[in-house]
Amino acid sequence: MEQPIITQIWAWKRIVLFFVIVVCQSANGQQSLPMIKANTKTVDIQDGAVFQKGIWNLTPEAKPDIYYALEPGKERKVTFYTDMDSISFDVKPGLTYDFIILLNDKDTCFTQINSLPKEKIEVSTIDPEQLKEDFTFLREAILQEHGGLFRYQNRNEFTQLSDSLFRTLDHPMNQFEFGTLVRFFLSSVKDGHTGSSLPSELMEYYAGHIKMFPIQLYFMDERAFVLCSGPSELPPGTELLSIDGKPINEIRKELFRYLSSDGNIETKKFQTLNRDAFPFLYSWVFGEKSDHTITYKTQTGLVENMHIKTDFIKESCVPKGHDKGKYLQLDYKSGNIAILTIKTFSSERLRQTNEDFVKFLQVSFKEIKNQKYRSEHPICFGLGISENRFRSVLLPV
């Protein structure tokens, strides 16, 4: 009679031991993940060269809570900043990075950085509730953080516009539709540094899957000219008068409402539209179509009509505007003067010349600092910042 009792005791001991081992393994698995602490739910994220203040809210219920990297096809550093701590990862395409944020010393927030490869990029449809939540977050962030929000509009105008746009979020939208609405909203602020753009991977997806207006245009004042196109009847320099019966200047004015700029200055808007943005913006604002009727003026002065079909944008014929040297440069002049030349902040342009803006600044200022200690006289540096005009300022280091 005693043998079965002993067997049962050992059986229970084995079960308990197995349970303890499993629990310990689980605990060790969690503890092996990197951990940082936070006392508030709001987290800032530095994604490559883009700093996103207050973009992330801790959600202990999500297991894991996934952050999707802005440019999944590019290697760069991603850093999460809490009110107490920070953690960084050198993110590579197609990989995930798991860590824990311990909120208030009690809530475990399992967090993951996800960097999907380009081939997995798909267009998402966003439900109305999520659209409203995102738009509300954007509106409140602008109200709290933008120092010059009411410089060109009063609070009542801002409220009327934001409420009107909010009411349109009553049906599902894809990322391009919602992105266009956000563009319109932010352009109303009339701040050249307050705008929105889609990730380059989504832009590439759109260009590869949606047929658009096939003629790339160059806008000058109230007129537009063919920069390049397929039809032989439209050589470069041909003036385009209208698209589908709508005068080209009215089209330009409508598209300008979706482009950010300082005050009523239109220079930046012309530049944006002339850098092969027209086909995309025209498609988003006026809708995707399979064909168009255009009216144009030949170089001999004749006014003609033509029916054209939309097509995929295979490559840009827009001049790069910079084919000599680099956009970022550090030079030394006589009199202990160092000159930093920054000809663009555009990440797209810098990628074309294989330049890294953040690394350039780090290396340049380190070199200037070292030069200072090697010199008997103070070092000054000139800073030139402009895509079209060079502005130089001498400052003591």
Side-chain angles (χ1 to χ4, degrees):
M1 292 296 294
E2 293 182 358
Q3 184 65 30
I5 295 175
I6 295 174
T7 303
Q8 277 189 337
I9 292 173
W10 276 106
W12 278 107
K13 285 184 177 180
R14 291 174 62 187
I15 292 173
V16 171
L17 180 61
F18 175 77
F19 177 77
V20 170
I21 292 173
V22 169
V23 170
C24 291
Q25 286 179 342
S26 177
N28 289 335
Q30 292 180 10
Q31 291 175 359
S32 66
L33 292 178
M35 177 185 292
I36 58 175
K37 293 186 176 183
N39 281 333
T40 63
K41 286 189 173 183
T42 304
V43 177
D44 302 331
I45 299 177
Q46 178 85 36
D47 192 330
V50 180
F51 181 74
Q52 305 169 94
K53 183 174 179 58
I55 194 68
W56 191 257
N57 288 317
L58 296 177
T59 309
E61 298 77 20
K63 300 182 184 298
D65 199 1
I66 303 176
Y67 170 77
Y68 290 94
L70 293 178
E71 295 184 89
K74 179 183 177 182
E75 293 186 18
R76 70 253 182 252
K77 179 177 289 187
V78 176
T79 304
F80 276 59
Y81 296 94
T82 71
D83 62 318
M84 299 177 63
D85 213 341
S86 67
I87 189 169
S88 298
F89 295 91
D90 293 321
V91 175
K92 297 182 179 180
L95 300 180
T96 59
Y97 300 83
D98 297 294
F99 60 100
I100 292 172
I101 301 179
L102 187 61
L103 179 61
N104 296 322
D105 285 326
K106 61 177 182 177
D107 295 323
T108 302
C109 303
F110 291 93
T111 311
Q112 181 182 96
I113 299 172
N114 193 313
S115 186
L116 295 172
K118 287 186 177 182
E119 56 269 23
K120 291 186 179 180
I121 292 294
E122 295 181 356
V123 179
S124 301
T125 299
I126 311 170
D127 63 76
E129 290 305 313
Q130 185 65 56
L131 291 171
K132 292 176 181 178
E133 183 179 331
D134 287 354
F135 185 80
T136 300
F137 178 84
L138 173 63
R139 178 174 58 188
E140 294 305 313
I142 292 177
L143 279 168
Q144 293 177 20
E145 303 294 340
H146 201 290
L149 183 58
F150 302 120
R151 184 176 182 181
Y152 296 101
Q153 62 180 336
N154 57 48
R155 181 177 289 273
N156 184 53
E157 290 171 330
F158 176 84
T159 300
Q160 287 183 347
L161 176 61
S162 59
D163 287 349
S164 175
L165 293 175
F166 185 84
R167 286 192 293 269
T168 67
L169 304 175
D170 58 356
H171 62 282
M173 292 183 178
N174 63 36
Q175 291 160 294
F176 301 106
E177 293 170 320
F178 185 56
T180 304
L181 181 142
V182 169
R183 272 182 172 272
F184 183 85
F185 176 54
L186 294 181
S187 70
S188 70
V189 179
K190 295 186 177 182
D191 178 358
H193 294 281
T194 301
S196 173
S197 60
L198 293 169
S200 58
E201 288 75 19
L202 275 178
M203 294 290 287
E204 291 175 10
Y205 177 93
Y206 195 89
H209 291 79
I210 304 297
K211 293 182 178 181
M212 293 176 277
F213 189 79
I215 305 171
Q216 296 192 45
L217 300 176
Y218 189 89
F219 288 82
M220 185 181 298
D221 297 325
E222 298 181 355
R223 305 164 72 186
F225 300 88
V226 174
L227 197 58
C228 62
S229 66
S232 58
E233 298 91 340
L234 301 174
T238 302
E239 183 177 358
L240 197 66
L241 303 177
S242 68
I243 302 175
D244 295 329
K246 194 174 187 67
I248 198 68
N249 194 44
E250 290 185 17
I251 293 174
R252 177 192 64 81
K253 288 181 179 179
E254 181 64 22
L255 298 184
F256 271 16
R257 300 176 70 190
Y258 294 81
L259 298 175
S260 298
S261 185
D262 290 326
N264 296 317
I265 298 173
E266 295 184 336
T267 305
K268 181 181 177 181
K269 297 186 178 186
F270 273 105
Q271 290 180 346
T272 302
L273 210 56
N274 289 337
R275 289 180 190 148
D276 62 17
F278 175 77
F280 293 91
L281 198 56
Y282 183 85
S283 179
W284 297 337
V285 174
F286 292 100
E288 298 170 5
K289 300 179 180 179
S290 60
D291 50 36
H292 298 278
T293 298
I294 63 171
T295 303
Y296 64 96
K297 182 189 291 186
T298 67
Q299 293 181 344
T300 60
L302 295 177
V303 176
E304 303 281 355
N305 294 321
M306 178 185 290
H307 185 75
I308 59 174
K309 294 207 173 280
T310 54
D311 200 358
F312 295 111
I313 303 298
K314 299 177 177 62
E315 65 177 300
S316 171
C317 66
V318 179
K320 299 297 182 185
H322 183 82
D323 54 2
K324 296 180 180 180
K326 298 287 188 178
Y327 288 108
L328 310 175
Q329 193 171 339
L330 170 63
D331 297 300
Y332 293 97
K333 302 296 181 181
S334 60
N336 275 358
I337 295 176
I339 297 181
L340 282 178
T341 302
I342 303 172
K343 296 183 178 179
T344 185
F345 293 106
S346 169
S347 58
E348 180 181 353
R349 292 185 177 189
L350 292 174
R351 279 197 296 269
Q352 293 172 0
T353 53
N354 295 317
E355 295 178 88
D356 187 314
F357 181 72
V358 175
K359 186 176 181 180
F360 167 76
L361 291 182
Q362 292 172 340
V363 172
S364 295
F365 279 101
K366 183 177 181 180
E367 185 175 326
I368 291 172
K369 184 177 180 180
N370 292 336
Q371 188 75 12
K372 172 185 176 182
Y373 290 120
R374 289 196 298 267
S375 172
E376 297 179 358
H377 305 286
I379 299 292
C380 295
F381 74 86
L383 180 60
I385 305 176
S386 179
E387 294 186 357
N388 298 311
R389 297 176 299 277
F390 184 80
R391 180 165 56 90
S392 182
V393 181
L394 293 183
L395 299 172
V397 175

